[in-house]
C-alpha cells in the first residue's frame, strides 16, 4: 500500500479519499457527500472509482465488497427479487430504525463504460460476473462488527464447493472463484459484491425518507463539485500555509493532513473495563509500591464492565488506534478549532460527559468488544487513580484567546458558517457553553489535586507553598504510562516522595485555564482562588524543580539519606514549564532553556527537538519510545511558546534569539514531515532524530497533523528582513 487517506474532507459536507493500492496495482477513489434535509440527519452518497496503476497488467480484475448491517431494533432488507444468477441493474435496500427513520440504500451499476470479466470457465454460466452478487445473513447484534470473518467464512464455503465440483486442475480463475453465493433472504446484514475488468465506477446512494426526495447519481455529481469547491475556498481562507510554505506542494500536503485529522472523527459506543476495587495499594504510599500495585491489579474480581458509554472523538490513527485517547485529543482539536469551533466544543463536551462522580476520565476509551479486539488484554483495564495530561484545557485557552481577539475570527461563505462559528460570533453562546460545563471542569480539576498530589512536608522541602507539588500515579520502574511519556527516564528506584516537573507544569496550565474560564463567566471568587493556586504553582516549579547545578528543570526524589534531590534527564520533561507557557519572556531561567533547546549535543536536531538529550546515558536505549525520537505535539508547543516569547510586548533580551529558533524549528519540522509524507505516502507517529525517517505507527494523522498549524504561523524571518 503506497498511502491512503483523505485528499479533501470536511465533516459537515464530505470529501475525496484515495487508496493507492500498489499491491493490487489499482488506485481507488471514494467521493463522499452529505446532503442535509429532513428530521433524521439527511442523506448521503459515495462514488467509488478505480483506475489501474501504471504498472498494472493489461487485463486487471478487481473485486469489491460493500456491506450494510442493522444493529438493535430496526430493519434492513434487500428489495430486489432473489436470482441465483445475481442482480441485473441496481441493488436496492430499504430499512428503518428509531434514530434513522425510514431510508433507502441503492448500489448502482455505474456508467456503461464499466467492463466485467468475460466467460472463461463453465462456472460462469452459474454465476455471471456482469451481474451484482448479493448475500444476506442474520447475525447476532454483538457480532455484526465482525464483517471480515463473516465474509471469509462464507467465501471459504463457496470455494470448497467449487473445488469439490471442478477439482484443482480445472478450478475457475480467481476472480470467479473468490465470489459469494447469490443468496438474497431475510436478514440484518447484506453483502454486495461487484467484479470489474479495468477501470470502474459506481455509486452508493443513501436517501432519508424524511428528506423527501431520493438521491440520484446526478445529485451526487453536483454535490461533489460543490463540496470540493467549498472545502478549497474555506481552506484558503482559514488554514492556508504561510511562507516559506506558500507553495502548491505544501498546500496539497496541508489539505491532506488536515482532512485525515477530520476524517478520524468518529462516534464510539460500548462498555469499558474498569478496576473499581479502590485497593489501598493504589495510593502508592510505600517504598516498593509498584510491586504492591502489580499484585493488586492481578487480583481476581477487581475488573468489571461499566457502561455503555458514548464518545465523539478524533482518533490518532484510523487503522491502528481507532479509539479515544485523552491526552491526544487536546492536540487533535487545536487545528480543528480553527476550522469549526462548534464541532470542537461538541467533542470536548463528549469527553467531559464520560466523567465519573469523583471527576475521573479514563485516559483510553476502549468502548465495546470491537474496540477491545484491537488492544492487548493487559492494556484494556482503566484505573480511576490514573491521570493523563489535561490537554483539553489547551482547547479552552484557544477558545478564550479567540474570544479576546476579535480580529482572529475569519468569516467564510460556507452555508453552515453560522453553525460552525456560533461560539465566536456570539459571546453569549460561548459563555453559556462554559457555564454549563463549568461544574464538570471544577470536579475534574480538583480530582487532579486530590489524587496526584506530591509530598512536600514529610521531607522538609523548602517551597513557597506546602501544597503545590504533584506526582503521577501508575508508576513502575520502567514506565509512567499515565504521563504520556511512557519510558522517559525517571528517578530510580521509584519513590512515593517523587515530584514530577511535567505534571506540575500541566497543573499550572490547567489552573491558568480555570482562572480564565471563571473570569469569563463571572465567577470572580473562583477566579481569585485559582489565581492563588496559579501563583503558588509557578513559584513552586522554581523552588522544587530548578537545578542550579544542571541549569534546568528536573524531577525530584528522595535519596538514601531521606533528603530531596534532583534527578535530571535533560529532554522534554526539562522544558515542560516553558512548553506550558509558565516561563515568561523576562524569566531569568529562559536563557538556559533556550541553550538546551538549541544545542545540537542536547535537544536540537535537523528534524526537530529530540525527546531526550543526545548526551543522556539513556538516549536511544531499550524501547526508545520517548528516549530520542522527535514528537510533533511537543515540538508544536515549543514552536508556539518560542513565538510567544519572540512577539511578547514585555522587554526581554531573548526575543531575537527566540525568533530565530522559532523560524528554524518551524522549517525543520514541516520540511521533514512533508518529505517523509512525500517519500512514504504517510504521516508517522514519531521521527528519527538522526535520519528524519518516520517510524512506529504509519498513517498517524492525529497530533502529527499539528504541522497544519505550524504552516499557518507567521513568517518572522520575512518580517525581520522587512523591518531591517
Amino acid at each position: 500500500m503506497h498511502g491512503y487517506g483523505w485528499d479533501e474532507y470536511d465533516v459537515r459536507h464530505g470529501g475525496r479519499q484515495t487508496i493507492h493500492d500498489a499491491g493490487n496495482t489499482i488506485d481507488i477513489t471514494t467521493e463522499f457527500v452529505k446532503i442535509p434535509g429532513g428530521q433524521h440527519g439527511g442523506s448521503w452518497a459515495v462514488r467509488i472509482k478505480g483506475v489501474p496503476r501504471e504498472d498494472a497488467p493489461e487485463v486487471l480484475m478487481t473485486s469489491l465488497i460493500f456491506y450494510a448491517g442493522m444493529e438493535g431494533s430496526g430493519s434492513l432488507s434487500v428489495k430486489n427479487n432473489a436470482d441465483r444468477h445475481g442482480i441485473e441493474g441496481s441493488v436496492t435496500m430499504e430499512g428503518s430504525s428509531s434514530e434513522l427513520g425510514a431510508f433507502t440504500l441503492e448500489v448502482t451499476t455505474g456508467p456503461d463504460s464499466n467492463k466485467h470479466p468475460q466467460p472463461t470457465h463453465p462456472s460462469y454460466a452459474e454465476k455471471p460476473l456482469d451481474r451484482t452478487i448479493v448475500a444476506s445473513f442474520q447475525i447476532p447484534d454483538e457480532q455484526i462488527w465482525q464483517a471480515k470473518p463473516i465474509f471469509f467464512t462464507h467465501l471459504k464455503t463457496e470455494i470448497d464447493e467449487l473445488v469439490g465440483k471442478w477439482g484443482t486442475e480445472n478450478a475457475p480463475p480467481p476472480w470467479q472463484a473468490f465470489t459469494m453465493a447469490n443468496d438474497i433472504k431475510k436478514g440484518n446484514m447484506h453483502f454486495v459484491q461487484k467484479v470489474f475488468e479495468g477501470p470502474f465506477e459506481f455509486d452508493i446512494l443513501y436517501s432519508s425518507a424524511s428528506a423527501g426526495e431520493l438521491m440520484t447519481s446526478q445529485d451526487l455529481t453536483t454535490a461533489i463539485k460543490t463540496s470540493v469547491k467549498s472545502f478549497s475556498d474555506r481552506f484558503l481562507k482559514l488554514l492556508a500555509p504561510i511562507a516559506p510554505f506558500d507553495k502548491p506542494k505544501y498546500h496539497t500536503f496541508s489539505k491532506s493532513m488536515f482532512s485525515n485529522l477530520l476524517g478520524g472523527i468518529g462516534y464510539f459506543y460500548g462498555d469499558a473495563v474498569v478496576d473499581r476495587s479502590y485497593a489501598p495499594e493504589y495510593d502508592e504510599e510505600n517504598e516498593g509500591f509498584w510491586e504492591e500495585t502489580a499484585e493488586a491489579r492481578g487480583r481476581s474480581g477487581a475488573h468489571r464492565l461499566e457502561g455503555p458509554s458514548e464518545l465523539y472523538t478524533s482518533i490518532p490513527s484510523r487503522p491502528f488506534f481507532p479509539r479515544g485517547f485523552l491526552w491526544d485529543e487536546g492536540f487533535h482539536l487545536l487545528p480543528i478549532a480553527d476550522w469549526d469551533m462548534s464541532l470542537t466544543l461538541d467533542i470536548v463536551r463528549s469527553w467531559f460527559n464520560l466523567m465519573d462522580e469523583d471527576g475521573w476520565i479514563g485516559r483510553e476509551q476502549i468502548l465495546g468488544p470491537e474496540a477491545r479486539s484491537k488492544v492487548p488484554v493487559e492494556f484494556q483495564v482503566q484505573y480511576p487513580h490514573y491521570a493523563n495530561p489535561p490537554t483539553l484545557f489547551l482547547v479552552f485557552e484557544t477558545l478564550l484567546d479567540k474570544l479576546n481577539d476579535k480580529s482572529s475570527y475569519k468569516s467564510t461563505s460556507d452555508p453552515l458558517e453560522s453553525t460552525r462559528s456560533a461560539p465566536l460570533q456570539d459571546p453569549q453562546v460561548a459563555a453559556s457553553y462554559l457555564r454549563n460545563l463549568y461544574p464538570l471542569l471544577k470536579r475534574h480539576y480538583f480530582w487532579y489535586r486530590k489524587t496526584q498530589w506530591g509530598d512536600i512536608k514529610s521531607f522538609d522541602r523548602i517551597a513557597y507553598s506546602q501544597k503545590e507539588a504533584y506526582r503521577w500515579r501508575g508508576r513502575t520502574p520502567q514506565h509512567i504510562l499515565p504521563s504520556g511519556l511512557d519510558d522517559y527516564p525517571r528517578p530510580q528506584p521509584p519513590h512515593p516522595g517523587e515530584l514530577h516537573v511535567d505534571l506540575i507544569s500541566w497543573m499550572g496550565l490547567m489552573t491558568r485555564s480555570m482562572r480564565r474560564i471563571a473570569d469569563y463567566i463571572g465567577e470572580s471568587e473562583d477566579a481569585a482562588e485559582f489565581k492563588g493556586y496559579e501563583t503558588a504553582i509557578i513559584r513552586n516549579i522554581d523552588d522544587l524543580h530548578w537545578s542550579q547545578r544542571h541549569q534546568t528543570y528536573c524531577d525530584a526524589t528522595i535519596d538514601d539519606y531521606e533528603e530531596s534531590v534532583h534527578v535530571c534527564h535533560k529532554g522534554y520533561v526539562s522544558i515542560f514549564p516553558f512548553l506550558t507557557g509558565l516561563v515568561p519572556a523576562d524569566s531569568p531561567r529562559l536563557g538556559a532553556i533556550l541553550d538546551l533547546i538549541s544545542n545540537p549535543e542536547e535537544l536540537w536536531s535537523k528534524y526537530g527537538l529530540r525527546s531526550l538529550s543526545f548526551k543522556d546515558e539513556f538516549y536511544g536505549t531499550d524501547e526508545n519510545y520517548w528516549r530520542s525520537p522527535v514528537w510533533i505535539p511537543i515540538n508544536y508547543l515549543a514552536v508556539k511558546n518560542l513565538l510567544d516569547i519572540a512577539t511578547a510586548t514585555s522587554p526581554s533580551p531573548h526575543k531575537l534569539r527566540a525568533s530565530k529558533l522559532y523560524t528554524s524549528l518551524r522549517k525543520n519540522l514541516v520540511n521533514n514531515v512533508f518529505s517523509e509524507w512525500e517519500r512514504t505516502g504517510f504521516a508517522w507517529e514519531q521521527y528519527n532524530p538522526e535520519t528524519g525517517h518516520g517510524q512506529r505507527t504509519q498513517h498517524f494523522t492525529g497530533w502529527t497533523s499539528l504541522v497544519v498549524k505550524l504552516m499557518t504561523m507567521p513568517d518572522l524571518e520575512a518580517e525581520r528582513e522587512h523591518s531591517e
Side-chain angles (χ1 to χ4, degrees), residues 680-699:
T680 67
F682 295 105
W684 294 83
E685 182 179 8
Q686 55 178 219
Y687 294 85
N688 187 293
E690 316 306 329
T691 66
H693 287 175
Q695 56 190 31
R696 300 277 182 169
T697 303
Q698 65 181 27
H699 201 67

Side-chain angles (χ1 to χ4, degrees), residues 47-50 108-111 113-114 196 199-203 221:
R47 176 161 292 161
I48 298 98
K49 296 180 181 179
T108 71
T109 57
S113 57
N114 284 343
F196 296 101
F200 59 84
E201 175 184 317
F202 66 98
D203 300 337
T221 300

Side-chain angles (χ1 to χ4, degrees), residues 312-586:
Y312 188 41
T313 182
S314 173
I315 60 176
S317 170
R318 282 193 289 163
F320 298 102
F321 295 107
R323 57 188 183 275
F325 288 78
L326 181 56
W327 99 284
D328 296 51
E329 189 74 273
F331 290 112
H332 295 170
L333 294 178
L334 294 178
I336 297 174
D338 291 339
W339 180 262
D340 194 322
M341 183 59 78
S342 292
L343 169 66
T344 301
L345 297 182
D346 283 346
I347 292 174
V348 171
R349 189 199 309 273
S350 185
W351 273 97
F352 279 96
N353 285 342
L354 293 169
M355 187 184 302
D356 71 6
E357 60 185 12
D358 296 320
W360 171 74
I361 301 173
R363 65 190 188 92
E364 285 192 42
Q365 293 299 318
I366 311 168
L367 303 180
E370 182 176 5
R372 286 194 288 276
S373 72
K374 304 281 288 185
V375 183
V377 173
E378 63 270 24
F379 296 117
Q380 293 180 10
V381 183
Q382 300 300 297
Y383 297 92
H385 61 291
Y386 284 8
N388 217 204
T391 60
L392 292 178
F393 286 82
L394 293 169
V395 180
F396 293 124
E397 299 228 305
T398 297
L399 172 63
L400 293 168
D401 288 344
K402 289 179 179 292
L403 290 168
N404 290 333
D405 180 10
K406 300 300 183 184
S407 65
S408 67
Y409 171 65
K410 301 175 183 177
S411 180
T412 73
S413 59
D414 188 288
L416 297 177
E417 182 64 39
S418 60
T419 299
R420 297 179 189 269
S421 303
L424 302 179
Q425 292 181 6
D426 184 355
Q428 289 304 312
V429 173
S432 176
Y433 174 90
L434 292 172
R435 196 171 289 112
N436 289 335
L437 206 60
Y438 188 64
L440 293 178
L441 300 183
K442 286 185 68 176
R443 190 195 307 172
H444 193 47
Y445 176 80
F446 286 104
W447 175 86
Y448 273 86
R449 294 181 64 86
K450 180 180 178 181
T451 62
Q452 309 298 304
W453 65 278
D455 194 343
I456 298 177
K457 296 179 181 179
S458 298
F459 303 103
D460 298 324
R461 286 167 160 144
I462 299 174
Y464 172 83
S465 166
Q466 291 297 298
K467 294 182 178 180
E468 299 303 333
Y470 295 91
R471 171 170 65 97
W472 295 110
R473 303 307 194 267
R475 171 85 203 270
T476 70
Q478 294 78 32
H479 301 101
I480 308 183
L481 298 180
S483 74
L485 307 181
D486 298 15
D487 66 334
Y488 191 98
R490 303 286 186 164
Q492 294 294 347
H495 193 282
E498 277 181 30
L499 302 177
H500 298 131
V501 66
D502 52 328
L503 180 51
I504 194 174
S505 301
W506 283 121
M507 290 303 300
L509 182 150
M510 194 182 192
T511 306
R512 179 181 68 220
S513 181
M514 289 297 295
R515 169 182 57 78
R516 295 182 65 190
I517 292 168
D519 262 334
Y520 192 81
I521 63 175
E523 295 288 344
S524 55
E525 291 186 6
D526 283 2
E529 180 182 356
F530 290 125
K531 177 61 178 175
Y533 296 149
E534 182 184 5
T535 299
I537 287 172
I538 292 172
R539 292 285 297 270
N540 273 22
I541 287 174
D542 276 358
D543 291 347
L544 297 171
H545 293 284
W546 179 259
S547 169
Q548 192 64 29
R549 174 188 168 197
H550 295 96
Q551 286 294 290
T552 194
Y553 291 105
C554 309
D555 286 340
T557 191
I558 304 303
D559 65 12
D560 294 338
Y561 303 100
E562 292 294 300
E563 293 183 354
S564 182
V565 294
H566 288 127
V567 176
C568 300
H569 294 286
K570 292 182 179 180
Y572 288 168
V573 161
S574 313
I575 60 173
F576 245 95
F578 172 74
L579 297 174
T580 48
L582 303 177
V583 178
D586 58 356

